[in-house]
Amino acid sequence: MTPLHLPTAYFIAGVLYLTMPVAVWLMLRKQHAPSNTLWCWGGLSFGLSLIFLGMRDTWPDVLTYGVAIWLLVLGPLLRVCALRHELQKPIHLTWMLILSLVFIAVYGVFHVGLNNASLRFIWSSLGAAAAFGWLAFLAREVYRRDQSISARWIFMFYMALAVVLALRVPSVLLGLSEPTAMTSDPLSTLLIFMGV
């Protein structure tokens, strides 16, 4: 059996994630709802991050590390803005952008300043897990308010994604996994299947 080629899987998942938000936005654009636009921009950001991760051995590091990780966290944060808007608890987009820039600045210290792959990986995994977890809890609030089956699925998917991302941290700390997104281990394979 041939193992899953992670760069190709990330790239394909990224292309799918670019296609879906564009299709949804085209269908809903006449509603002029800020939550629809924010949700779709979040999907585009996440999709681009997956494409950049998939091109890690081919494209420049600044895109496949810094920009990719920033977009990976920015995507769910934009979707957090969308759900908070739907819940009538809006949060200003500027604050999410600032939060994402602080996140990537700390990542840059670990990546460039300290050149520490483990700290960089742990920080990015925990940051992404926190963003996806926040998104999941907001989706659960939408489900409780509206009894929306879609919101329930969003909650379950993003919570599972947050848990798997968080589980990668102890596996790196215990030396069971390499501190990179391109490690072919069961958690990486699970992440990419969940992404699709």
Side-chain angles (χ1 to χ4, degrees):
M1 183 173 132
T2 305
L4 178 69
H5 187 251
L6 284 176
T8 302
Y10 274 109
F11 187 83
I12 291 169
V15 170
L16 289 172
Y17 232 95
L18 288 179
T19 306
M20 289 183 298
V22 169
V24 169
W25 184 81
L26 287 172
M27 287 187 293
L28 300 177
R29 73 182 183 276
K30 291 182 181 178
Q31 292 181 2
H32 301 292
S35 56
N36 293 345
T37 302
L38 288 166
W39 187 266
C40 292
W41 276 105
L44 289 173
S45 175
F46 184 67
L48 279 175
S49 75
L50 295 178
I51 288 172
F52 289 162
L53 285 170
M55 300 307 291
R56 189 163 273 180
D57 292 334
T58 309
W59 291 357
D61 282 356
V62 69
L63 286 177
T64 61
Y65 282 91
V67 175
I69 299 303
W70 177 63
L71 291 172
L72 182 72
V73 171
L74 181 63
L77 290 179
L78 289 171
R79 287 184 161 187
V80 162
C81 285
L83 290 186
R84 285 184 61 98
H85 189 274
E86 282 298 309
L87 291 164
Q88 282 80 44
K89 302 176 185 176
I91 188 168
H92 205 281
L93 182 59
T94 304
W95 290 113
M96 288 304 198
L97 291 174
I98 290 170
L99 179 61
S100 72
L101 291 173
V102 168
F103 167 81
I104 202 60
V106 174
Y107 177 89
V109 169
F110 293 147
H111 182 57
V112 177
L114 299 176
N115 195 22
N116 189 316
S118 292
L119 286 176
R120 176 188 72 212
F121 182 80
I122 290 167
W123 177 255
S124 61
S125 295
L126 291 178
F132 286 122
W134 190 6
L135 178 56
F137 282 114
L138 290 172
R140 187 177 68 175
E141 283 187 47
V142 171
Y143 167 70
R144 286 180 174 169
R145 185 192 69 181
D146 300 339
Q147 295 302 302
S148 165
I149 299 301
S150 296
R152 185 175 177 194
W153 278 106
I154 291 169
F155 163 71
M156 290 188 298
F157 167 74
Y158 283 117
M159 184 53 65
L161 191 57
V163 168
V164 173
L165 278 165
L167 285 175
R168 298 209 56 208
V169 172
S171 74
V172 167
L173 290 173
L174 295 171
L176 303 173
S177 182
E178 294 294 315
T180 179
M182 294 302 148
T183 298
S184 292
D185 62 14
L187 288 176
S188 294
T189 304
L190 181 59
L191 275 174
I192 199 63
F193 279 117
M194 291 173 70
V196 173

Short mmCIF file of all heavy atoms in Angstrom, two decimals, residues 114-142:
data_model
loop_
_atom_site.label_atom_id
_atom_site.label_comp_id
_atom_site.label_asym_id
_atom_site.label_seq_id
_atom_site.Cartn_x
_atom_site.Cartn_y
_atom_site.Cartn_z
N LEU A 114 14.55 32.28 16.82
CA LEU A 114 15.12 31.19 17.61
C LEU A 114 15.46 29.97 16.76
O LEU A 114 16.17 29.08 17.23
CB LEU A 114 14.14 30.77 18.72
CG LEU A 114 13.80 31.84 19.75
CD1 LEU A 114 12.76 31.31 20.73
CD2 LEU A 114 15.04 32.30 20.49
N ASN A 115 14.91 29.90 15.55
CA ASN A 115 15.11 28.77 14.66
C ASN A 115 14.83 27.44 15.37
O ASN A 115 15.59 26.49 15.31
CB ASN A 115 16.53 28.78 14.07
CG ASN A 115 16.66 27.85 12.88
OD1 ASN A 115 15.68 27.52 12.24
ND2 ASN A 115 17.87 27.41 12.60
N ASN A 116 13.69 27.40 16.07
CA ASN A 116 13.30 26.25 16.87
C ASN A 116 12.04 25.61 16.27
O ASN A 116 10.94 26.13 16.45
CB ASN A 116 13.07 26.66 18.32
CG ASN A 116 12.87 25.49 19.24
OD1 ASN A 116 12.15 24.54 18.92
ND2 ASN A 116 13.51 25.53 20.39
N ALA A 117 12.23 24.51 15.55
CA ALA A 117 11.11 23.87 14.86
C ALA A 117 10.04 23.37 15.84
O ALA A 117 8.85 23.45 15.55
CB ALA A 117 11.62 22.72 14.00
N SER A 118 10.45 22.87 16.98
CA SER A 118 9.48 22.34 17.94
C SER A 118 8.60 23.44 18.51
O SER A 118 7.37 23.30 18.56
CB SER A 118 10.18 21.60 19.08
OG SER A 118 10.78 20.42 18.59
N LEU A 119 9.21 24.55 18.94
CA LEU A 119 8.41 25.67 19.47
C LEU A 119 7.49 26.23 18.40
O LEU A 119 6.33 26.55 18.66
CB LEU A 119 9.31 26.76 20.02
CG LEU A 119 9.99 26.48 21.35
CD1 LEU A 119 10.93 27.63 21.73
CD2 LEU A 119 8.96 26.26 22.45
N ARG A 120 8.00 26.36 17.19
CA ARG A 120 7.21 26.87 16.06
C ARG A 120 6.01 25.97 15.83
O ARG A 120 4.88 26.44 15.69
CB ARG A 120 8.10 26.93 14.82
CG ARG A 120 7.38 27.34 13.57
CD ARG A 120 8.27 27.18 12.35
NE ARG A 120 8.42 25.77 12.05
CZ ARG A 120 9.51 25.23 11.52
NH1 ARG A 120 10.56 25.97 11.24
NH2 ARG A 120 9.55 23.94 11.26
N PHE A 121 6.23 24.66 15.80
CA PHE A 121 5.16 23.71 15.54
C PHE A 121 4.13 23.71 16.67
O PHE A 121 2.92 23.70 16.43
CB PHE A 121 5.73 22.31 15.33
CG PHE A 121 4.70 21.29 15.01
CD1 PHE A 121 4.21 21.18 13.72
CD2 PHE A 121 4.18 20.46 15.99
CE1 PHE A 121 3.23 20.25 13.42
CE2 PHE A 121 3.21 19.53 15.69
CZ PHE A 121 2.74 19.42 14.40
N ILE A 122 4.61 23.69 17.90
CA ILE A 122 3.70 23.68 19.05
C ILE A 122 2.84 24.95 19.06
O ILE A 122 1.62 24.89 19.26
CB ILE A 122 4.49 23.51 20.37
CG1 ILE A 122 5.05 22.08 20.43
CG2 ILE A 122 3.65 23.83 21.58
CD1 ILE A 122 6.09 21.87 21.51
N TRP A 123 3.47 26.11 18.83
CA TRP A 123 2.74 27.38 18.82
C TRP A 123 1.68 27.38 17.72
O TRP A 123 0.53 27.76 17.96
CB TRP A 123 3.72 28.54 18.65
CG TRP A 123 3.04 29.87 18.55
CD1 TRP A 123 2.87 30.61 17.42
CD2 TRP A 123 2.43 30.62 19.60
NE1 TRP A 123 2.21 31.78 17.70
CE2 TRP A 123 1.92 31.81 19.04
CE3 TRP A 123 2.27 30.40 20.96
CZ2 TRP A 123 1.26 32.77 19.79
CZ3 TRP A 123 1.60 31.36 21.72
CH2 TRP A 123 1.12 32.53 21.13
N SER A 124 2.07 26.97 16.52
CA SER A 124 1.11 27.01 15.41
C SER A 124 -0.02 26.00 15.62
O SER A 124 -1.18 26.29 15.32
CB SER A 124 1.81 26.78 14.07
OG SER A 124 2.43 25.52 14.03
N SER A 125 0.30 24.83 16.15
CA SER A 125 -0.74 23.82 16.40
C SER A 125 -1.73 24.29 17.46
O SER A 125 -2.95 24.17 17.29
CB SER A 125 -0.12 22.49 16.83
OG SER A 125 0.63 21.94 15.79
N LEU A 126 -1.21 24.84 18.55
CA LEU A 126 -2.10 25.33 19.62
C LEU A 126 -2.89 26.54 19.18
O LEU A 126 -4.08 26.67 19.52
CB LEU A 126 -1.29 25.63 20.88
CG LEU A 126 -0.71 24.41 21.60
CD1 LEU A 126 0.12 24.85 22.80
CD2 LEU A 126 -1.80 23.45 22.03
N GLY A 127 -2.28 27.43 18.40
CA GLY A 127 -3.00 28.60 17.90
C GLY A 127 -4.13 28.21 16.96
O GLY A 127 -5.26 28.71 17.07
N ALA A 128 -3.85 27.29 16.05
CA ALA A 128 -4.89 26.82 15.13
C ALA A 128 -5.98 26.07 15.89
O ALA A 128 -7.17 26.25 15.62
CB ALA A 128 -4.28 25.95 14.05
N ALA A 129 -5.57 25.23 16.86
CA ALA A 129 -6.56 24.50 17.66
C ALA A 129 -7.47 25.46 18.42
O ALA A 129 -8.69 25.24 18.49
CB ALA A 129 -5.85 23.55 18.62
N ALA A 130 -6.90 26.52 18.98
CA ALA A 130 -7.71 27.50 19.72
C ALA A 130 -8.69 28.20 18.78
O ALA A 130 -9.87 28.39 19.13
CB ALA A 130 -6.79 28.52 20.40
N ALA A 131 -8.23 28.58 17.60
CA ALA A 131 -9.12 29.26 16.65
C ALA A 131 -10.26 28.34 16.21
O ALA A 131 -11.43 28.75 16.16
CB ALA A 131 -8.32 29.75 15.44
N PHE A 132 -9.93 27.08 15.89
CA PHE A 132 -10.97 26.13 15.49
C PHE A 132 -11.91 25.80 16.65
O PHE A 132 -13.11 25.61 16.45
CB PHE A 132 -10.35 24.86 14.91
CG PHE A 132 -9.79 25.05 13.53
CD1 PHE A 132 -8.45 24.79 13.28
CD2 PHE A 132 -10.59 25.47 12.49
CE1 PHE A 132 -7.93 24.96 12.01
CE2 PHE A 132 -10.08 25.65 11.21
CZ PHE A 132 -8.74 25.39 10.97
N GLY A 133 -11.36 25.72 17.86
CA GLY A 133 -12.20 25.47 19.03
C GLY A 133 -13.18 26.60 19.27
O GLY A 133 -14.36 26.37 19.58
N TRP A 134 -12.71 27.84 19.15
CA TRP A 134 -13.57 29.02 19.30
C TRP A 134 -14.70 28.97 18.27
O TRP A 134 -15.87 29.18 18.59
CB TRP A 134 -12.73 30.27 19.16
CG TRP A 134 -13.40 31.56 19.52
CD1 TRP A 134 -14.64 31.74 20.08
CD2 TRP A 134 -12.85 32.87 19.36
NE1 TRP A 134 -14.89 33.08 20.26
CE2 TRP A 134 -13.81 33.79 19.83
CE3 TRP A 134 -11.64 33.35 18.86
CZ2 TRP A 134 -13.60 35.17 19.81
CZ3 TRP A 134 -11.43 34.72 18.85
CH2 TRP A 134 -12.38 35.61 19.33
N LEU A 135 -14.34 28.68 17.04
CA LEU A 135 -15.32 28.57 15.97
C LEU A 135 -16.34 27.48 16.29
O LEU A 135 -17.55 27.66 16.10
CB LEU A 135 -14.60 28.29 14.65
CG LEU A 135 -15.44 28.09 13.40
CD1 LEU A 135 -16.36 29.26 13.15
CD2 LEU A 135 -14.53 27.86 12.21
N ALA A 136 -15.87 26.35 16.80
CA ALA A 136 -16.77 25.24 17.13
C ALA A 136 -17.77 25.64 18.20
O ALA A 136 -18.97 25.36 18.08
CB ALA A 136 -15.95 24.03 17.58
N PHE A 137 -17.30 26.32 19.24
CA PHE A 137 -18.22 26.71 20.32
C PHE A 137 -19.26 27.72 19.85
O PHE A 137 -20.41 27.68 20.27
CB PHE A 137 -17.45 27.21 21.53
CG PHE A 137 -16.87 26.09 22.35
CD1 PHE A 137 -15.50 25.93 22.45
CD2 PHE A 137 -17.69 25.19 23.00
CE1 PHE A 137 -14.95 24.89 23.19
CE2 PHE A 137 -17.17 24.14 23.76
CZ PHE A 137 -15.79 23.99 23.84
N LEU A 138 -18.87 28.61 18.95
CA LEU A 138 -19.84 29.55 18.39
C LEU A 138 -20.87 28.83 17.53
O LEU A 138 -22.06 29.16 17.56
CB LEU A 138 -19.13 30.64 17.59
CG LEU A 138 -18.33 31.63 18.42
CD1 LEU A 138 -17.50 32.54 17.52
CD2 LEU A 138 -19.24 32.46 19.32
N ALA A 139 -20.43 27.83 16.78
CA ALA A 139 -21.36 27.04 15.98
C ALA A 139 -22.35 26.31 16.88
O ALA A 139 -23.54 26.19 16.55
CB ALA A 139 -20.61 26.05 15.10
N ARG A 140 -21.86 25.86 18.03
CA ARG A 140 -22.77 25.20 18.99
C ARG A 140 -23.82 26.19 19.50
O ARG A 140 -24.99 25.82 19.68
CB ARG A 140 -21.98 24.60 20.15
CG ARG A 140 -22.86 23.76 21.07
CD ARG A 140 -22.06 23.13 22.15
NE ARG A 140 -21.58 24.17 23.05
CZ ARG A 140 -20.93 23.93 24.18
NH1 ARG A 140 -20.67 22.69 24.53
NH2 ARG A 140 -20.52 24.91 24.94
N GLU A 141 -23.42 27.44 19.72
CA GLU A 141 -24.39 28.47 20.14
C GLU A 141 -25.45 28.68 19.06
O GLU A 141 -26.63 28.84 19.37
CB GLU A 141 -23.69 29.79 20.44
CG GLU A 141 -22.97 29.82 21.76
CD GLU A 141 -22.44 31.21 22.06
OE1 GLU A 141 -23.20 32.19 21.91
OE2 GLU A 141 -21.26 31.31 22.45
N VAL A 142 -25.03 28.70 17.80
CA VAL A 142 -25.99 28.85 16.70
C VAL A 142 -26.93 27.66 16.67
O VAL A 142 -28.15 27.80 16.50
CB VAL A 142 -25.26 29.02 15.34
CG1 VAL A 142 -26.25 28.96 14.19
CG2 VAL A 142 -24.47 30.31 15.31
#
